Amino acid sequence: MQQHIDKWETEFSEVLDKFIETAELKPGMLMVVGCSTSEVAGERIGTAGTTEVAEMLFRQLDRLRRRTGVALAFQCCEHLNRALVIGRKDAEERKLDEVSVIPVRNAGGAMASYAFEKMPEAVVVESLKADAGIDIGDTLIGMHLKPVAVPVRVGRRTVGHANVVLAKTRPKLIGGSRAVYERNPENLSCR
């Protein structure tokens, strides 16, 4: 198994490096992570979650966090209504309401339960609106992204056996045919 995990870690590192280059992640942004460790290992979602895969993914995501300054939130599985594990400080800064539950492998998932154990002062919140996201294994993170979500394409679309979908968000474009969306001197002069 370790040989596979080493290969998957190389793949995931490649995905994250390209995501950092492409998504314009900045300190203070919030990134949601949805992950099925079962899917990474080639099994059906929710059937074979492993701490070993979760540990490898967490290690790489923590590297991304340190490199970019983004806060991470880990989505739990459907048995916890896709609640999220997040650091207490990050939850308080965003005025998120904590809920009473402890994610475990069979109710929360291997990734969320691992994150709950390893993050300093982890708490669980019911919902949030993230600036970016990564979905590993078709876990459906869209409910936790700000509108408007924009797909981010990188060369690799899988880690192990799992599909990987990346997204960033942008502010809504409002207005009609006379609206301007880019700041430049011509657009800012009053007439």
Side-chain angles (χ1 to χ4, degrees), residues 8 11-12 15 40 56-57 136 156-162 164:
W8 301 336
E11 293 171 358
F12 194 45
V15 167
V40 173
M56 174 274 291
L57 296 168
I136 306 162
R156 173 171 291 285
R157 292 184 180 214
T158 60
V159 171
H161 302 274
V164 176

Side-chain angles (χ1 to χ4, degrees), residues 108-178:
M111 186 77 249
S113 61
Y114 187 86
F116 189 83
E117 286 181 28
K118 298 301 178 182
M119 292 175 78
E121 292 192 68
V123 298
V124 178
V125 299
E126 195 168 15
S127 65
L128 49 76
K129 291 295 179 188
D131 303 291
I134 182 167
D135 185 329
I136 306 162
D138 304 322
T139 62
L140 305 176
I141 62 168
M143 69 184 79
H144 297 303
L145 290 171
K146 291 178 181 176
V148 172
V150 178
V152 175
R153 304 280 190 234
V154 298
R156 173 171 291 285
R157 292 184 180 214
T158 60
V159 171
H161 302 274
N163 294 323
V164 176
V165 177
L166 305 157
K168 63 180 183 177
T169 62
R170 65 159 174 78
K172 293 178 183 179
L173 302 176
I174 62 167
S177 61
R178 296 179 0 162

Side-chain angles (χ1 to χ4, degrees), residues 34 52 107 175 181 190:
E52 296 82 9
Y181 301 110
C190 295

Side-chain angles (χ1 to χ4, degrees), residues 25-33 69-74 84-87 90-91 94 96 119 125 127-133 144-146 167-169:
L25 302 174
K26 295 176 181 60
M29 286 182 151
L30 179 59
M31 184 171 123
V32 64
V33 177
V70 301
L72 297 174
F74 293 84
L84 302 116
V85 174
I86 187 171
D90 293 319
R94 291 165 176 81
L96 301 173
M119 292 175 78
V125 299
S127 65
L128 49 76
K129 291 295 179 188
D131 303 291
H144 297 303
L145 290 171
K146 291 178 181 176
K168 63 180 183 177
T169 62

